[in-house]
mmCIF file of all heavy atoms in Angstrom:
data_model
loop_
_atom_site.group_PDB
_atom_site.id
_atom_site.type_symbol
_atom_site.label_atom_id
_atom_site.label_comp_id
_atom_site.label_asym_id
_atom_site.label_seq_id
_atom_site.Cartn_x
_atom_site.Cartn_y
_atom_site.Cartn_z
ATOM 1 N N PHE A 1 86.472 91.834 89.775
ATOM 2 C CA PHE A 1 87.550 91.707 90.731
ATOM 3 C C PHE A 1 87.060 91.487 92.096
ATOM 4 O O PHE A 1 85.873 91.743 92.392
ATOM 5 C CB PHE A 1 88.461 92.972 90.670
ATOM 6 C CG PHE A 1 87.816 94.234 91.192
ATOM 7 C CD1 PHE A 1 87.844 94.536 92.532
ATOM 8 C CD2 PHE A 1 87.100 95.074 90.370
ATOM 9 C CE1 PHE A 1 87.258 95.693 93.041
ATOM 10 C CE2 PHE A 1 86.471 96.203 90.849
ATOM 11 C CZ PHE A 1 86.546 96.495 92.199
ATOM 12 N N ALA A 2 87.888 90.878 92.959
ATOM 13 C CA ALA A 2 87.563 90.720 94.331
ATOM 14 C C ALA A 2 88.678 91.366 95.158
ATOM 15 O O ALA A 2 89.848 91.300 94.825
ATOM 16 C CB ALA A 2 87.451 89.225 94.708
ATOM 17 N N ALA A 3 88.305 92.032 96.241
ATOM 18 C CA ALA A 3 89.287 92.765 97.079
ATOM 19 C C ALA A 3 88.999 92.543 98.543
ATOM 20 O O ALA A 3 87.865 92.269 98.898
ATOM 21 C CB ALA A 3 89.268 94.268 96.720
ATOM 22 N N THR A 4 90.026 92.668 99.340
ATOM 23 C CA THR A 4 89.891 92.570 100.823
ATOM 24 C C THR A 4 90.179 93.954 101.392
ATOM 25 O O THR A 4 91.162 94.584 101.062
ATOM 26 C CB THR A 4 90.934 91.546 101.352
ATOM 27 O OG1 THR A 4 90.674 90.268 100.816
ATOM 28 C CG2 THR A 4 90.840 91.487 102.871
ATOM 29 N N ILE A 5 89.260 94.424 102.263
ATOM 30 C CA ILE A 5 89.496 95.676 102.977
ATOM 31 C C ILE A 5 90.470 95.415 104.112
ATOM 32 O O ILE A 5 90.218 94.630 105.014
ATOM 33 C CB ILE A 5 88.151 96.208 103.501
ATOM 34 C CG1 ILE A 5 87.208 96.475 102.355
ATOM 35 C CG2 ILE A 5 88.360 97.474 104.337
ATOM 36 C CD1 ILE A 5 85.800 96.780 102.766
ATOM 37 N N VAL A 6 91.614 96.094 104.022
ATOM 38 C CA VAL A 6 92.649 95.906 105.038
ATOM 39 C C VAL A 6 92.641 96.998 106.133
ATOM 40 O O VAL A 6 93.232 96.816 107.174
ATOM 41 C CB VAL A 6 94.031 95.833 104.372
ATOM 42 C CG1 VAL A 6 94.095 94.626 103.469
ATOM 43 C CG2 VAL A 6 94.342 97.112 103.568
ATOM 44 N N ALA A 7 91.972 98.096 105.860
ATOM 45 C CA ALA A 7 91.812 99.212 106.783
ATOM 46 C C ALA A 7 90.721 100.087 106.225
ATOM 47 O O ALA A 7 90.406 99.992 105.020
ATOM 48 C CB ALA A 7 93.133 99.980 106.996
ATOM 49 N N PRO A 8 90.095 100.940 107.027
ATOM 50 C CA PRO A 8 89.051 101.796 106.455
ATOM 51 C C PRO A 8 89.546 102.586 105.245
ATOM 52 O O PRO A 8 90.514 103.307 105.331
ATOM 53 C CB PRO A 8 88.730 102.731 107.647
ATOM 54 C CG PRO A 8 89.035 101.920 108.867
ATOM 55 C CD PRO A 8 90.251 101.093 108.485
ATOM 56 N N GLY A 9 88.888 102.375 104.120
ATOM 57 C CA GLY A 9 89.241 103.112 102.930
ATOM 58 C C GLY A 9 90.365 102.503 102.119
ATOM 59 O O GLY A 9 90.734 103.030 101.087
ATOM 60 N N LEU A 10 90.905 101.372 102.580
ATOM 61 C CA LEU A 10 92.047 100.731 101.881
ATOM 62 C C LEU A 10 91.660 99.271 101.588
ATOM 63 O O LEU A 10 91.181 98.567 102.414
ATOM 64 C CB LEU A 10 93.298 100.787 102.743
ATOM 65 C CG LEU A 10 93.810 102.179 103.165
ATOM 66 C CD1 LEU A 10 94.971 102.074 104.103
ATOM 67 C CD2 LEU A 10 94.173 103.025 101.941
ATOM 68 N N ALA A 11 92.015 98.837 100.376
ATOM 69 C CA ALA A 11 91.724 97.450 99.965
ATOM 70 C C ALA A 11 92.853 96.928 99.106
ATOM 71 O O ALA A 11 93.534 97.667 98.401
ATOM 72 C CB ALA A 11 90.389 97.398 99.229
ATOM 73 N N ARG A 12 92.976 95.599 99.102
ATOM 74 C CA ARG A 12 93.978 94.870 98.330
ATOM 75 C C ARG A 12 93.255 93.947 97.409
ATOM 76 O O ARG A 12 92.343 93.199 97.793
ATOM 77 C CB ARG A 12 94.965 94.154 99.252
ATOM 78 C CG ARG A 12 96.155 93.552 98.517
ATOM 79 C CD ARG A 12 97.188 93.001 99.527
ATOM 80 N NE ARG A 12 97.692 94.005 100.421
ATOM 81 C CZ ARG A 12 98.731 94.803 100.122
ATOM 82 N NH1 ARG A 12 99.339 94.667 98.911
ATOM 83 N NH2 ARG A 12 99.166 95.711 100.969
ATOM 84 N N ILE A 13 93.677 93.884 96.147
ATOM 85 C CA ILE A 13 93.085 93.042 95.149
ATOM 86 C C ILE A 13 93.454 91.607 95.333
ATOM 87 O O ILE A 13 94.641 91.259 95.465
ATOM 88 C CB ILE A 13 93.430 93.522 93.745
ATOM 89 C CG1 ILE A 13 92.915 94.920 93.514
ATOM 90 C CG2 ILE A 13 92.893 92.578 92.643
ATOM 91 C CD1 ILE A 13 93.349 95.530 92.219
ATOM 92 N N ARG A 14 92.464 90.704 95.347
ATOM 93 C CA ARG A 14 92.762 89.269 95.523
ATOM 94 C C ARG A 14 92.537 88.474 94.220
ATOM 95 O O ARG A 14 93.151 87.472 93.953
ATOM 96 C CB ARG A 14 91.815 88.670 96.595
ATOM 97 C CG ARG A 14 92.090 89.265 97.993
ATOM 98 C CD ARG A 14 93.537 89.104 98.412
ATOM 99 N NE ARG A 14 93.760 89.622 99.737
ATOM 100 C CZ ARG A 14 94.990 89.796 100.260
ATOM 101 N NH1 ARG A 14 96.058 89.524 99.510
ATOM 102 N NH2 ARG A 14 95.132 90.258 101.478
ATOM 103 N N PHE A 15 91.635 89.007 93.388
ATOM 104 C CA PHE A 15 91.329 88.412 92.107
ATOM 105 C C PHE A 15 91.015 89.545 91.115
ATOM 106 O O PHE A 15 90.401 90.516 91.454
ATOM 107 C CB PHE A 15 90.112 87.446 92.153
ATOM 108 C CG PHE A 15 89.561 87.118 90.803
ATOM 109 C CD1 PHE A 15 90.158 86.076 90.069
ATOM 110 C CD2 PHE A 15 88.498 87.786 90.282
ATOM 111 C CE1 PHE A 15 89.635 85.760 88.783
ATOM 112 C CE2 PHE A 15 87.993 87.525 89.032
ATOM 113 C CZ PHE A 15 88.541 86.511 88.220
ATOM 114 N N ALA A 16 91.495 89.395 89.859
ATOM 115 C CA ALA A 16 91.211 90.402 88.849
ATOM 116 C C ALA A 16 91.010 89.712 87.520
ATOM 117 O O ALA A 16 91.775 88.819 87.122
ATOM 118 C CB ALA A 16 92.338 91.415 88.750
ATOM 119 N N GLY A 17 89.905 90.081 86.834
ATOM 120 C CA GLY A 17 89.680 89.546 85.502
ATOM 121 C C GLY A 17 90.505 90.168 84.441
ATOM 122 O O GLY A 17 91.380 91.029 84.695
ATOM 123 N N GLN A 18 90.209 89.845 83.206
ATOM 124 C CA GLN A 18 91.052 90.242 82.062
ATOM 125 C C GLN A 18 91.024 91.726 81.817
ATOM 126 O O GLN A 18 91.996 92.318 81.282
ATOM 127 C CB GLN A 18 90.625 89.500 80.802
ATOM 128 C CG GLN A 18 90.825 88.001 80.885
ATOM 129 C CD GLN A 18 90.228 87.286 79.708
ATOM 130 O OE1 GLN A 18 89.098 87.591 79.297
ATOM 131 N NE2 GLN A 18 90.933 86.302 79.131
ATOM 132 N N GLU A 19 89.940 92.370 82.160
ATOM 133 C CA GLU A 19 89.809 93.835 81.877
ATOM 134 C C GLU A 19 90.942 94.604 82.565
ATOM 135 O O GLU A 19 91.626 95.413 81.928
ATOM 136 C CB GLU A 19 88.465 94.363 82.288
ATOM 137 C CG GLU A 19 88.188 95.793 81.905
ATOM 138 C CD GLU A 19 87.564 95.970 80.510
ATOM 139 O OE1 GLU A 19 87.682 94.983 79.710
ATOM 140 O OE2 GLU A 19 87.010 96.998 80.255
ATOM 141 N N LEU A 20 91.150 94.367 83.866
ATOM 142 C CA LEU A 20 92.196 95.079 84.601
ATOM 143 C C LEU A 20 93.558 94.654 84.123
ATOM 144 O O LEU A 20 94.479 95.456 84.027
ATOM 145 C CB LEU A 20 92.073 94.858 86.079
ATOM 146 C CG LEU A 20 90.974 95.637 86.782
ATOM 147 C CD1 LEU A 20 90.871 95.281 88.258
ATOM 148 C CD2 LEU A 20 91.203 97.139 86.651
ATOM 149 N N GLU A 21 93.771 93.341 83.793
ATOM 150 C CA GLU A 21 95.046 92.886 83.305
ATOM 151 C C GLU A 21 95.407 93.573 82.006
ATOM 152 O O GLU A 21 96.559 93.924 81.779
ATOM 153 C CB GLU A 21 95.016 91.383 83.118
ATOM 154 C CG GLU A 21 95.003 90.627 84.457
ATOM 155 C CD GLU A 21 95.120 89.097 84.292
ATOM 156 O OE1 GLU A 21 95.290 88.699 83.095
ATOM 157 O OE2 GLU A 21 95.085 88.413 85.296
ATOM 158 N N HIS A 22 94.428 93.772 81.119
ATOM 159 C CA HIS A 22 94.683 94.441 79.836
ATOM 160 C C HIS A 22 95.010 95.893 80.038
ATOM 161 O O HIS A 22 95.881 96.455 79.334
ATOM 162 C CB HIS A 22 93.528 94.269 78.891
ATOM 163 C CG HIS A 22 93.522 92.959 78.183
ATOM 164 N ND1 HIS A 22 94.318 92.691 77.094
ATOM 165 C CD2 HIS A 22 92.845 91.820 78.393
ATOM 166 C CE1 HIS A 22 94.113 91.469 76.633
ATOM 167 N NE2 HIS A 22 93.195 90.899 77.447
ATOM 168 N N VAL A 23 94.336 96.551 80.926
ATOM 169 C CA VAL A 23 94.575 97.975 81.162
ATOM 170 C C VAL A 23 96.001 98.206 81.666
ATOM 171 O O VAL A 23 96.703 99.091 81.193
ATOM 172 C CB VAL A 23 93.552 98.571 82.142
ATOM 173 C CG1 VAL A 23 93.972 99.993 82.572
ATOM 174 C CG2 VAL A 23 92.171 98.604 81.523
ATOM 175 N N PHE A 24 96.460 97.312 82.568
ATOM 176 C CA PHE A 24 97.753 97.560 83.235
ATOM 177 C C PHE A 24 98.879 96.718 82.605
ATOM 178 O O PHE A 24 100.027 96.919 82.961
ATOM 179 C CB PHE A 24 97.642 97.282 84.722
ATOM 180 C CG PHE A 24 96.764 98.314 85.420
ATOM 181 C CD1 PHE A 24 95.442 98.097 85.663
ATOM 182 C CD2 PHE A 24 97.287 99.563 85.754
ATOM 183 C CE1 PHE A 24 94.669 99.050 86.257
ATOM 184 C CE2 PHE A 24 96.528 100.538 86.317
ATOM 185 C CZ PHE A 24 95.190 100.278 86.591
ATOM 186 N N GLY A 25 98.491 95.741 81.769
ATOM 187 C CA GLY A 25 99.539 94.959 81.132
ATOM 188 C C GLY A 25 100.250 93.987 82.080
ATOM 189 O O GLY A 25 101.370 93.559 81.786
ATOM 190 N N MET A 26 99.605 93.662 83.208
ATOM 191 C CA MET A 26 100.227 92.763 84.171
ATOM 192 C C MET A 26 99.125 92.218 85.103
ATOM 193 O O MET A 26 97.989 92.678 85.140
ATOM 194 C CB MET A 26 101.287 93.440 84.959
ATOM 195 C CG MET A 26 100.787 94.629 85.803
ATOM 196 S SD MET A 26 102.124 95.473 86.656
ATOM 197 C CE MET A 26 101.201 96.781 87.475
ATOM 198 N N ASP A 27 99.574 91.211 85.873
ATOM 199 C CA ASP A 27 98.696 90.659 86.910
ATOM 200 C C ASP A 27 98.660 91.585 88.088
ATOM 201 O O ASP A 27 99.738 91.929 88.682
ATOM 202 C CB ASP A 27 99.235 89.264 87.320
ATOM 203 C CG ASP A 27 98.323 88.558 88.267
ATOM 204 O OD1 ASP A 27 97.342 89.137 88.730
ATOM 205 O OD2 ASP A 27 98.602 87.353 88.536
ATOM 206 N N VAL A 28 97.494 92.100 88.436
ATOM 207 C CA VAL A 28 97.395 93.104 89.526
ATOM 208 C C VAL A 28 96.990 92.470 90.879
ATOM 209 O O VAL A 28 96.791 93.168 91.845
ATOM 210 C CB VAL A 28 96.370 94.203 89.162
ATOM 211 C CG1 VAL A 28 96.850 94.932 87.936
ATOM 212 C CG2 VAL A 28 94.973 93.604 88.959
ATOM 213 N N ARG A 29 96.892 91.164 90.902
ATOM 214 C CA ARG A 29 96.581 90.464 92.184
ATOM 215 C C ARG A 29 97.614 90.789 93.264
ATOM 216 O O ARG A 29 98.811 90.796 92.972
ATOM 217 C CB ARG A 29 96.442 88.969 91.971
ATOM 218 C CG ARG A 29 95.226 88.533 91.214
ATOM 219 C CD ARG A 29 95.216 87.019 91.017
ATOM 220 N NE ARG A 29 96.359 86.626 90.228
ATOM 221 C CZ ARG A 29 96.642 85.300 89.920
ATOM 222 N NH1 ARG A 29 95.879 84.337 90.387
ATOM 223 N NH2 ARG A 29 97.695 85.030 89.190
ATOM 224 N N GLY A 30 97.141 91.068 94.430
ATOM 225 C CA GLY A 30 98.007 91.438 95.578
ATOM 226 C C GLY A 30 98.366 92.888 95.662
ATOM 227 O O GLY A 30 98.919 93.342 96.663
ATOM 228 N N MET A 31 97.970 93.681 94.673
ATOM 229 C CA MET A 31 98.303 95.108 94.676
ATOM 230 C C MET A 31 97.257 95.854 95.473
ATOM 231 O O MET A 31 96.048 95.516 95.465
ATOM 232 C CB MET A 31 98.348 95.646 93.255
ATOM 233 C CG MET A 31 99.510 95.126 92.426
ATOM 234 S SD MET A 31 99.471 95.735 90.716
ATOM 235 C CE MET A 31 99.609 97.521 91.001
ATOM 236 N N PRO A 32 97.586 96.975 96.116
ATOM 237 C CA PRO A 32 96.606 97.862 96.723
ATOM 238 C C PRO A 32 95.744 98.456 95.582
ATOM 239 O O PRO A 32 96.284 98.808 94.531
ATOM 240 C CB PRO A 32 97.441 98.941 97.387
ATOM 241 C CG PRO A 32 98.826 98.398 97.494
ATOM 242 C CD PRO A 32 99.005 97.431 96.350
ATOM 243 N N MET A 33 94.444 98.597 95.829
ATOM 244 C CA MET A 33 93.635 99.207 94.799
ATOM 245 C C MET A 33 94.063 100.626 94.461
ATOM 246 O O MET A 33 93.968 101.056 93.319
ATOM 247 C CB MET A 33 92.169 99.208 95.239
ATOM 248 C CG MET A 33 91.453 97.875 95.103
ATOM 249 S SD MET A 33 89.675 97.993 95.346
ATOM 250 C CE MET A 33 89.169 98.993 93.930
ATOM 251 N N SER A 34 94.577 101.341 95.438
ATOM 252 C CA SER A 34 94.992 102.704 95.206
ATOM 253 C C SER A 34 96.117 102.774 94.198
ATOM 254 O O SER A 34 96.233 103.853 93.537
ATOM 255 C CB SER A 34 95.419 103.383 96.525
ATOM 256 O OG SER A 34 96.513 102.635 97.110
#
């Protein structure tokens, strides 16, 4: 996955491979990592 740090300790996902998509059952791009 690739993420952008938007503030100290906070990041937003920009790219996610199949592993995260399978775990969550959806496209997680654009979501906060938290």
Side-chain angles (χ1 to χ4, degrees):
F1 67 89
T4 299
I5 298 171
V6 296
L10 302 175
R12 189 174 297 276
I13 297 174
R14 297 304 182 192
F15 165 83
Q18 294 172 319
E19 187 87 341
L20 283 176
E21 289 186 1
H22 277 281
V23 170
F24 293 96
M26 62 181 178
D27 187 350
V28 298
R29 288 178 297 177
M31 293 177 60
M33 282 191 67
S34 59

